[in-house]
Amino acid sequence: MTQITLHNSRTRRKEPFTPIDPENVRMYVCGPTVYDRAHLGNARPVVVFDVLYRLLRHVYGDGNVTYVRNFTDVDDKINARARVMQEAGDARSLNDIIRALTDETIGWYHADMDALGALRPDHAPRATEFIVQMVAMIEGLIAKGHAYAAEGHVLFDVRSYPDYGKLSGRSVDDMIAGARVEVAPYKRDPMDFVLWKPSSAEEPGWDGPVWEGKSIGQGRPGWHIECSAMAHDILGPAFDIHGGGIDLQFPHHENEIAQSCCAHPDAGFANFWLHNEMVQVEGKKMSKSLGNFFTVRDLLDQGWPGEVIRFVMLSTHYRKPMDWTEEKAREAMETLRTWAYSVLGVMPSQVDPEFMEALQADMNTSDALTVLGELHKSNDRARLVASAKLVGFDLLAIGEKSWARLFEFKTNDGRFLSEGIDYQPTIGVIGWGEIPSEVHDVIADLVHLWLRHRRNKDFEKADSLRDSAALAGIELRATRSKNGINGGTAFIKNVIDPAKLEALK
RNA sequence: GGCGAGUUGGCGGAGUGGUUACGCAGCGGAUUGCAAAUCCGUGUACAGGAGUUCGAUUCUCCUACUCGCCUCCA
């Protein structure tokens, strides 16, 4: 059996991956807070863990892997946005607005991630649908002496969990020493974090956990408890892989571990912790607070196909920071077009062993894509198709997409006699996507004119026409035949500006 | 201030204790009226210093710089 190796953040080492149960491999990935379109940074873990999901399914069988990714739909940012909508005249109740807002955002998220070729997880739980489980877990923590109530809040007592800080490699004392956080006065320890907080009548609220015989009151869960509760409910107290962005390592994942390990002390929670590095813009992390983000939808609307975005993502190893650049996107688009064109009608065979080797070595997708390039170069098309499919590139389907479909138009350029041979050169117009007949007719005329200049050896006119055509995005190529008569092809590199085309006539 | 990660050729980006991936760009050649396209060829890079070693870009330590987390964050 294929041996996958993964870098485990918990041990800071690459370790051979062995599932607890090979017939039920379980993975939990932290999903988005749904108040806005997903930006490119949000998309990275989706693509990274989609590759892992596909890899696990490939190795252990499609039906033997369970992938959970949550939606955080309880959050102050959501509340804030809902309030803004209300103030702007939305007549619905705040809770109705929140539900509609999160519903809509989840719809966008799915659409955008689908476009990136990410498979949907087996479970996509919403926090609001697991409040009962969260309350139960909090009550369990209270009963075990790991949590306490103060001023309507329930807090986790970090001093009650000696391993707190182990994942992120910090000690509670060090953190307090360097803390820049204002500490709420009701906390026993500055690092204690909220499990439950009170809600005003304006805020969404649920019945809180029971403390000293009665409900602590209307409130809402802290952020971290939802993942602990949902992972436990769906995957059980111990599972294989927990993933997310590196920025979640502390405090989010640290807090999850504390909660889950204290609630279920003998279970162990997640065996492998995987963290992807950040997407950067000009060397800085892309984030909402820095305002240097763009959404997946922005890129799609700009005309970058989802597959291209995915390719750019996978061309950098997941544990390294990645810059999005147009240059990378252009290269990726070119590569995918070339591959897709070369495998038209090719049936997939087996996944290439070298490709597999790259993938199973801590998901070295960059290396894996290089292997795909080698398969393409060596004309091993059936393996190229099969291998590419494993990381989510359906080359046969891509070949059907307008952006990757080669348009070809050919027409006869009349008859010519050369050294007594009757010859009929052709004029071709080729390009990516659909090209309307008005456009290719005009361009075919252009090629005809160009060829006439060349046949007349009027190279000055021919070259000048070639240069101005190039400026309009049309590359004129000559094809030579044995008897010396040139045919010609116009290759349309980009979208043609009709005004520029007109000027060439 | 604490903790963590990183620094590879013009750019992007893997990887390795000894034979220096790969892509793009560039350069040279074939070809071409000239180009384009294609094909062939071509790059002695691993932040700086010290150490370990027969040998280090790869291991250890130090320095510099970059980035991340410590506040919401994928």
Side-chain angles (χ1 to χ4, degrees):
Chain A
M1 168 156 295
T2 311
Q3 180 59 63
I4 298 172
T5 303
L6 297 172
H7 178 91
N8 191 347
S9 302
R10 205 166 58 122
T11 55
R12 282 155 232 279
R13 279 204 303 241
K14 286 186 194 173
E15 296 174 357
F17 173 74
T18 310
I20 298 167
D21 175 2
E23 291 183 359
N24 185 18
V25 184
R26 286 156 290 167
M27 172 162 81
Y28 185 96
V29 174
C30 291
T33 302
V34 282
Y35 66 104
D36 202 359
R37 282 272 186 197
H39 67 238
L40 197 64
N42 297 307
R44 192 168 187 195
V46 174
V47 171
V48 165
F49 290 103
D50 179 64
V51 170
L52 183 54
Y53 182 42
R54 288 171 185 269
L55 178 63
L56 292 171
R57 284 162 60 99
H58 179 76
V59 173
Y60 295 100
D62 284 0
N64 297 333
V65 182
T66 307
Y67 172 25
V68 181
R69 187 181 62 216
N70 66 294
F71 284 113
T72 300
D73 60 351
V74 189
D75 183 89
D76 288 346
K77 288 190 291 294
I78 298 172
N79 299 343
R81 178 148 303 197
R83 213 165 290 124
V84 167
M85 288 167 75
Q86 197 173 48
E87 278 159 18
D90 196 319
R92 293 173 292 181
S93 78
L94 204 61
N95 277 336
D96 285 350
I97 295 175
I98 286 171
R99 185 72 193 189
L101 172 63
T102 54
D103 279 350
E104 182 182 37
T105 311
I106 286 171
W108 289 341
Y109 186 83
H110 274 142
D112 294 347
M113 298 307 122
D114 288 353
L116 298 182
L119 299 172
R120 301 259 179 117
D122 300 289
H123 302 270
R126 297 173 70 144
T128 48
E129 287 162 7
F130 286 80
I131 302 286
V132 172
Q133 290 87 337
M134 293 185 221
V135 168
M137 187 175 257
I138 293 169
E139 286 172 346
L141 289 169
I142 291 171
K144 290 192 172 78
H146 292 294
Y148 59 95
E151 300 186 17
H153 295 71
V154 180
L155 293 129
F156 186 90
D157 179 4
V158 295
R159 296 285 178 183
S160 76
Y161 181 59
D163 280 347
Y164 189 79
K166 216 172 173 185
L167 175 71
S168 52
R170 19 188 132 194
S171 76
V172 173
D173 292 325
D174 283 347
M175 282 186 282
I176 292 167
R180 300 184 311 202
V181 200
E182 272 192 54
V183 178
Y186 47 79
K187 287 186 178 179
R188 285 187 195 164
D189 186 285
M191 298 316 294
D192 288 353
F193 57 91
V194 169
L195 296 170
W196 188 265
K197 57 188 163 190
S199 290
S200 69
E202 295 291 284
E203 293 163 329
W206 294 263
D207 272 337
V210 171
W211 169 255
E212 290 180 346
K214 58 175 182 166
S215 168
I216 195 152
Q218 283 278 299
R220 58 196 193 281
W223 173 39
H224 315 294
I225 193 72
E226 66 175 78
C227 290
S228 284
M230 292 191 283
H232 179 263
D233 195 76
I234 301 169
L235 297 178
F239 53 95
D240 298 295
I241 296 169
H242 192 127
I246 186 70
D247 54 345
L248 296 183
Q249 190 183 37
F250 186 89
H252 184 55
H253 290 160
E254 199 71 70
N255 293 353
E256 277 188 54
I257 290 175
Q259 293 159 351
S260 293
C261 289
C262 288
H264 310 282
D266 302 319
F269 200 36
N271 278 347
F272 275 75
W273 287 82
L274 264 64
H275 292 106
N276 63 276
E277 253 293 350
M278 301 289 97
V279 171
Q280 301 192 332
V281 180
E282 315 259 333
K284 295 276 185 210
K285 174 186 173 183
M286 175 182 285
S287 73
K288 292 259 166 85
S289 49
L290 289 174
N292 62 347
F293 68 95
F294 42 87
T295 65
V296 173
R297 179 52 49 188
D298 290 337
L299 292 177
L300 293 169
D301 288 348
Q302 282 164 29
W304 294 115
E307 294 89 345
V308 168
I309 301 171
R310 183 182 181 93
F311 194 100
V312 171
M313 290 254 182
L314 295 184
S315 59
T316 301
H317 183 88
Y318 76 92
R319 283 192 292 110
K320 291 215 170 167
M322 188 210 84
D323 254 313
W324 167 272
T325 61
E326 289 218 354
E327 194 189 351
K328 286 183 185 176
R330 271 196 302 273
E331 278 184 29
M333 193 149 164
E334 198 54 45
T335 303
L336 284 172
R337 276 174 173 162
T338 313
W339 291 356
Y341 186 67
S342 77
V343 300
L344 285 175
V346 171
M347 283 299 112
S349 60
Q350 296 298 305
V351 172
D352 181 71
E354 249 188 86
F355 173 84
M356 200 56 202
E357 226 170 276
L359 263 194
Q360 65 198 58
D362 195 29
M363 285 196 285
N364 194 334
T365 51
S366 172
D367 237 9
L369 293 184
T370 300
V371 176
L372 294 185
E374 283 163 5
L375 292 174
H376 173 257
K377 205 168 180 183
S378 65
N379 241 326
D380 199 344
R381 297 174 191 169
R383 277 196 183 175
L384 172 59
V385 175
S387 307
K389 186 89 195 263
L390 178 50
V391 282
F393 296 108
D394 186 339
L395 294 178
L396 300 177
I398 289 173
E400 295 299 313
K401 301 269 170 86
S402 149
W403 62 271
R405 197 167 46 217
L406 199 64
F407 171 90
E408 284 182 279
F409 169 79
K410 275 193 180 139
T411 184
N412 198 296
D413 196 28
R415 304 174 69 169
F416 298 88
L417 280 172
S418 174
E419 293 168 5
I421 300 167
D422 184 9
Y423 181 65
Q424 302 186 353
T426 52
I427 284 181
V429 178
I430 61 176
W432 298 106
E434 278 308 310
I435 294 163
S437 58
E438 319 77 84
V439 173
H440 70 235
D441 283 352
V442 172
I443 294 176
D445 286 349
L446 208 65
V447 179
H448 173 72
L449 182 62
W450 184 56
L451 292 178
R452 207 163 65 197
H453 290 321
R454 289 168 62 101
R455 282 176 196 131
N456 295 336
K457 303 221 186 284
D458 192 346
F459 295 122
E460 207 170 303
K461 276 187 184 165
D463 291 355
S464 129
L465 180 58
R466 184 193 66 210
D467 293 344
S468 46
L471 289 174
I474 301 163
E475 200 174 276
L476 295 175
R477 301 174 179 174
T479 48
R480 220 165 79 104
S481 63
K482 282 177 210 152
N483 57 12
I485 291 188
N486 287 347
T489 301
F491 183 79
I492 301 169
K493 298 172 94 169
N494 290 307
V495 178
I496 296 297
D497 179 352
K500 281 186 184 164
L501 199 57
E502 198 61 33
L504 288 172
K505 277 186 181 175

